[in-house]
Amino acid sequence: ERLKYIRNFSIIAHVDHGKSTLADRLIEFTGAIEKREMKEQLLDTLDIERERGITIKLQAVRLKYKDYILHLIDTPGHVDFGYEVSRSLAACEGALLLIDATQGIEAQTIATFWQALNLNLEIIPVINKVDLPSADVERIKRQIADVLGLDPEGAILASGKAGIGIKEILDAIVERIPPPKGDEDKPLKALIFDSYYDPYRGAVAFVRVIDGKVSVGTRIKLFSTGKEFEVTEVGAQTPKMEKLEELRAGDVGYIAAAIKDVRDIRVGDTITDAKKPADEPIEGFRPAKPMVYAGLYPTGNTTFEDLRDALEKYSINDAAITYEVESSPALGLGFRCGFLGLLHLEIVQERLEREYGVELITTAPNVIYKVITKKGEEIEIRNPSELPDPTKIDKILEPYIEASIITPSEYVGAIMQLVQEKRGIQKSFEYLDQKTVLLRYEIPMGEVLFDFHDKLKTATRGYASFDYEFVGYKEGDLVKMDILINDEPVDALSFIVHKDKAYRIGRNIVDKMKEVIPRQLFEVKIQAAIGSKVIASSKVPALRRDVLAKCYGGDITRKKKLLEKQKEGKKRMKQFGKVELPQEAFLSILKAD
Ligand code: GDP
Ligand code: MG
C-alpha cells in the first residue's frame, strides 16, 4: 500500500562535511527543481545562516525518486540546537551519516550518530568528498567499523560537489531505510519538529504525521497547551511551499492554522485532532530551556520601547528566546534574555540589529547558577549582580557539561593543559584509530563561555572538534567580582568566577578595559573587586590639552569627520556617569581568561 512508497530520512554530519551540498544535489538529481532555479544552498534559508555557513532552521523537502516519495528532513548543525536535532531525527526512519573522507570522524559525527542510533534509525554511512586527492577512504572505513561498529562495506562513496554516488545514495535510501509505520484511521498524532513564522500563513509547523490525517478545516489541538486552531493549509516543500489536500500517517509536511505566534507550536509537541484527540502525546517533548543569559540594553537612538517592540516581534519567530524586563543602575531599563547557547545569542543580536533596526549593548553572557542559602532556599541566578550577600550563602552550584573532543594524537598534551585551565576533569581517553583520540571531560559550562572553542582551535591548529551536552549542577568555589569605574560599581559588569582564578582574571580584565575605554577629558580609574577588597586596578589617562586644541581648532571638514566618528561610536557606547563605555568593555570578561 501507500506507506511502502514513502521514506523519511535526515542527513547527519559534522559541520562542513558537506551536508548542505549533498542535500542540494539530491534535490537537483531528483528533478524537484531546475538547476538555474537553485539558489546557492537551498536548505539554508536565512541570510545569516548562509553567511555563517551553518544551517539553523530545519526544513523538510519532498523528493520524488522512481515510484517513491522521499522526505529529506534537515537538521541544524550546531550544539546549541541539539534538542531540535533529536526531534528531527525522531521524524525519520533512517539517516545518511556523512563523513568527510579527508577529515574522518569528528565530535559531532559521533554525537549525532548516537542520537540516531538511540532512535533506532537505519544508518547509511556515506564517505563524502571522495573527489579530493587527500581523501583517505580506507582510513574512514576502518573508523566506521572500529568507532561506530557499522559494516564499512555498506558505506557509499560520494561527492556532493562532483556529483559522485548520488544515485547509489538514493537507491540505498529506498532499499535500506524501512518505510514509515502508522495508521491513518487512528486519531491524529503529528510530531512538530520545526516551526517558522510566515507573514501570510502565520506560524507554520513542520510535522511528521504518526497516525491519522489532517486537512484544511481540521480543528487541531496542541497537546502541551491545549490550544486549538483551525487548519488553513497543509502541504509540503518541494522545495516550494506546495499545497496538498491532506497529510496522512507517514507523511512529512507543514500545517498552517492562522497561528500568530511560533511559541504556540513548540518543537517536540504533538498536534492532535480536537474533535477526536489521541490518548497520549508522542513522547520526548521538552520545552526549550535557556542555558545562557545576557542583558540587552538600548543605546544610540533606540529607546526601551523600541527594543521591547523589536523583541516582541522577533520572538514570534523564535520560540526559544525568553526575555524579561530588567533594570540596571548602570544601564537603565533593558531586558534579561535567555538563549540556548552563545551562537543563538549572536544570531538574535544580529537579527535584532539588522532586521529590526535597533541599536543595542549586550552584557557578557553568563550561565545559570544556583544558590543554596543558609536558610536552605534554592535561588536561580540569571544575573551575576543578583548574587546574595556572601554571608547568606551556604553554597553556589554551577552547571557542568560533558565535552567530547576528537583530535589528532599529537595535540593531546595541549588539550589537556587547556582543559585543566578550564577546571575540566578527564572522564575517558580512547584511541579511535592510530592517530586519532577521543577525549571526554566534564567542564563547568561557565568556563566554556570564556572563548574555550577559539582556544581549542588555536591549540590544535583547527584540527580538534568539539561537542558537548549538559550533565548537571555541582558545587563550586565561586565568588562575585565587581568592576568599579571611578569608584562606582557597574552592576552590568559583575560576573561570577572561581576563587582560584579570580586574581588573574581580575588583572586581565582591568587591563583589557583600559585598552577599550576611550580616553576622556579626565582620568578613568578601573578596579576589580571581590566584596570590598580591590584586587586589581588600572587607569585610562586623561586626554592631553594639545590634542583637544587640535581637534577644535582645525578646519571644518575635519571637525565634521570627528563628529561623525563620535556619532558612529555612540551606537555602541553607553554612558556611565561621565564615562562612556563601549560595547567591548562589557564583553572584555569573555577574553580575560
Ligand atoms: P555542511 O556544513 O555540512 O552543510 O557543509 P557544506 O555543504 O556547506 O560544505 C562545506 C564545504 O565543503 C564547502 O566549501 C563545500 O563546497 C565543500 N564540499 C562539500 N561537499 C564537497 C565534496 O563532495 N567535495 C569537495 N571537494 N568539497 C565539498
Ligand atoms: Mg550546511
Side-chain angles (χ1 to χ4, degrees):
E1 12 87 60
R2 190 182 67 94
L3 290 176
K4 275 205 293 210
Y5 295 98
I6 300 177
R7 297 293 182 273
N8 300 318
F9 73 104
S10 275
I11 308 177
I12 54 182
H14 192 76
V15 65
D16 280 345
H17 282 203
K19 187 169 65 130
S20 303
T21 308
L22 179 67
D24 289 350
R25 187 62 75 157
L26 294 174
I27 293 168
E28 188 192 77
F29 189 91
T30 52
I33 52 168
E34 294 287 316
K35 190 162 186 175
R36 65 190 142 77
E37 272 185 59
M38 277 192 50
K39 281 201 225 119
E40 219 185 296
Q41 287 193 332
L42 267 170
L43 287 179
D44 298 348
T45 40
L46 294 169
D47 280 354
I48 296 174
E49 290 180 40
R50 203 168 301 146
E51 275 168 29
R52 288 165 177 255
I54 44 168
T55 316
I56 295 146
K57 266 297 176 206
L58 313 163
Q59 279 162 306
V61 183
R62 172 177 288 220
L63 310 171
K64 289 213 173 82
Y65 181 64
K66 297 183 175 165
D67 297 329
Y68 295 87
I69 289 175
L70 315 181
H71 295 120
L72 163 53
I73 296 170
D74 197 24
T75 56
H78 192 275
V79 58
D80 282 5
F81 304 96
Y83 179 65
E84 280 80 350
V85 175
S86 84
R87 293 308 84 196
S88 297
L89 294 179
C92 301
E93 279 74 38
L96 303 176
L97 178 67
L98 211 60
I99 305 169
D100 184 327
T102 68
Q103 304 292 321
I105 287 175
E106 298 194 64
Q108 272 175 278
T109 321
I110 296 195
T112 46
F113 168 73
W114 277 109
Q115 280 187 315
L117 206 66
N118 285 334
L119 290 161
N120 287 319
L121 301 196
E122 176 67 31
I123 295 167
I124 303 173
V126 174
I127 304 177
N128 194 33
K129 305 198 189 180
V130 296
D131 58 302
L132 291 173
S134 54
D136 186 349
V137 172
E138 287 316 307
R139 172 177 173 235
I140 312 300
K141 282 192 172 170
R142 280 195 301 274
Q143 286 192 336
I144 288 172
D146 297 347
V147 181
L148 308 179
L150 299 176
D151 177 8
E153 293 317 305
I156 299 169
L157 306 190
S159 166
K161 198 167 183 178
I164 301 167
I166 306 303
K167 186 169 176 307
E168 287 78 357
I169 290 174
L170 289 164
D171 287 333
I173 290 167
V174 165
E175 283 157 25
R176 286 155 64 176
I177 296 177
K181 295 196 187 85
D183 185 346
E184 61 183 74
D185 296 324
K186 280 193 183 166
L188 173 67
K189 243 187 196 184
L191 170 68
I192 302 172
F193 59 84
D194 188 23
S195 64
Y196 82 103
Y197 187 79
D198 181 320
Y200 304 103
R201 297 179 179 89
V204 174
F206 280 93
V207 298
R208 156 69 189 275
V209 183
I210 306 293
D211 286 320
K213 47 192 171 211
V214 55
S215 55
V216 174
T218 306
R219 188 141 191 95
I220 52 167
K221 187 168 90 172
L222 279 305
F223 241 102
S224 75
T225 58
K227 285 194 185 175
E228 295 186 10
F229 301 93
E230 190 163 306
V231 173
T232 54
E233 185 178 325
V234 300
Q237 292 186 307
T238 62
K240 294 191 282 284
M241 300 289 272
E242 199 170 299
K243 287 184 195 173
L244 292 171
E245 222 141 87
E246 57 182 2
L247 295 176
R248 296 191 272 172
D251 275 337
V252 171
Y254 67 85
I255 299 175
I259 301 169
K260 292 201 179 59
D261 193 328
V262 279
R263 281 168 294 191
D264 282 331
I265 37 179
R266 304 195 239 171
V267 170
D269 200 0
T270 302
I271 294 180
T272 191
D273 192 324
K275 295 212 180 93
K276 49 169 188 169
D279 296 335
E280 302 220 303
I282 300 152
E283 63 182 54
F285 174 61
R286 190 186 88 189
K289 182 160 174 33
M291 300 301 277
V292 172
Y293 280 82
L296 301 191
Y297 288 85
T299 183
N301 294 321
T302 300
T303 63
F304 171 75
E305 284 73 23
D306 296 338
L307 179 56
R308 188 184 55 204
D309 288 349
L311 273 168
E312 254 165 38
K313 287 199 192 102
Y314 173 79
S315 61
I316 285 175
N317 248 299
D318 181 347
I321 186 180
T322 64
Y323 61 97
E324 58 194 21
V325 176
E326 164 176 270
S327 160
S328 153
L331 298 179
L333 270 187
F335 294 91
R336 196 82 197 159
C337 300
F339 307 92
L340 297 175
L342 284 190
L343 178 76
H344 185 214
L345 185 163
E346 274 179 49
I347 290 168
V348 171
Q349 184 185 337
E350 242 176 85
R351 290 190 59 189
L352 283 173
E353 289 180 335
R354 202 185 325 187
E355 294 169 33
Y356 300 87
V358 293
E359 298 166 23
L360 352 133
I361 285 267
T362 314
T363 65
N366 58 269
V367 296
I368 307 164
Y369 296 92
K370 287 183 180 167
V371 165
I372 313 287
T373 62
K374 291 215 166 118
K375 286 186 186 153
E377 295 165 296
E378 184 180 299
I379 315 173
E380 244 186 36
I381 304 293
R382 297 170 182 185
N383 180 342
S385 69
E386 287 167 2
L387 197 71
D389 188 81
T391 59
K392 301 207 168 94
I393 297 177
D394 178 24
K395 52 189 170 187
I396 306 177
L397 310 178
E398 59 181 332
Y400 271 72
I401 56 159
E402 183 179 282
S404 315
I405 300 171
I406 295 186
T407 178
S409 49
E410 65 254 45
Y411 300 115
V412 165
I415 291 172
M416 285 182 165
Q417 196 187 337
L418 171 62
V419 173
Q420 198 167 17
E421 283 166 19
K422 299 293 185 182
R423 301 191 284 129
I425 303 152
Q426 190 174 305
K427 288 292 179 192
S428 71
F429 181 109
E430 187 185 333
Y431 272 92
L432 299 187
D433 60 27
Q434 282 167 342
K435 45 182 187 175
T436 318
V437 176
L438 165 62
L439 298 154
R440 286 217 167 85
Y441 291 98
E442 268 182 26
I443 312 179
M445 189 173 174
E447 295 278 348
V448 175
L449 293 184
F450 293 76
D451 73 345
F452 178 75
H453 206 190
D454 288 348
K455 281 196 167 150
L456 180 69
K457 288 282 170 199
T458 311
T460 64
R461 290 138 137 258
Y463 282 114
S465 60
F466 168 63
D467 197 85
Y468 68 81
E469 60 181 347
F470 171 71
V471 285
Y473 275 82
K474 278 194 204 179
E475 188 176 352
D477 200 359
L478 303 167
V479 289
K480 182 174 76 152
M481 178 129 37
D482 294 313
I483 302 296
L484 292 78
I485 303 286
N486 287 344
D487 300 313
E488 289 277 342
V490 185
D491 62 298
L493 289 172
S494 295
F495 57 94
I496 291 171
V497 63
H498 194 265
K499 241 186 205 148
D500 293 348
K501 303 177 107 179
Y503 276 83
R504 185 161 55 85
I505 290 188
R507 179 76 251 159
N508 288 348
I509 204 166
V510 296
D511 289 344
K512 273 261 145 38
M513 289 189 55
K514 179 185 165 191
E515 285 165 28
V516 296
I517 295 177
R519 291 173 74 172
Q520 334 239 339
L521 295 173
F522 44 87
E523 185 180 84
V524 179
K525 188 160 78 178
I526 307 159
Q527 293 168 311
I530 298 172
S532 57
K533 189 172 171 213
V534 173
I535 57 161
S537 70
S538 66
K539 279 181 182 142
V540 182
L543 278 172
R544 292 211 329 265
R545 288 261 164 228
D546 50 344
V547 177
L548 280 179
K550 255 187 221 154
C551 292
Y552 292 107
D555 65 295
I556 189 82
T557 53
R558 195 187 150 137
K559 247 191 213 167
K560 241 172 145 178
K561 259 193 198 144
L562 193 80
L563 283 175
E564 264 163 35
K565 229 175 157 183
Q566 276 175 354
K567 227 167 93 193
E568 187 68 23
K570 277 244 167 53
K571 269 192 186 167
R572 293 292 214 137
M573 294 271 196
K574 202 75 194 176
Q575 196 78 27
F576 176 72
K578 288 191 293 178
V579 184
E580 287 192 320
L581 296 176
Q583 171 71 75
E584 294 79 15
F586 291 92
L587 299 181
S588 28
I589 171 68
L590 294 180
K591 301 274 174 212
D593 192 9

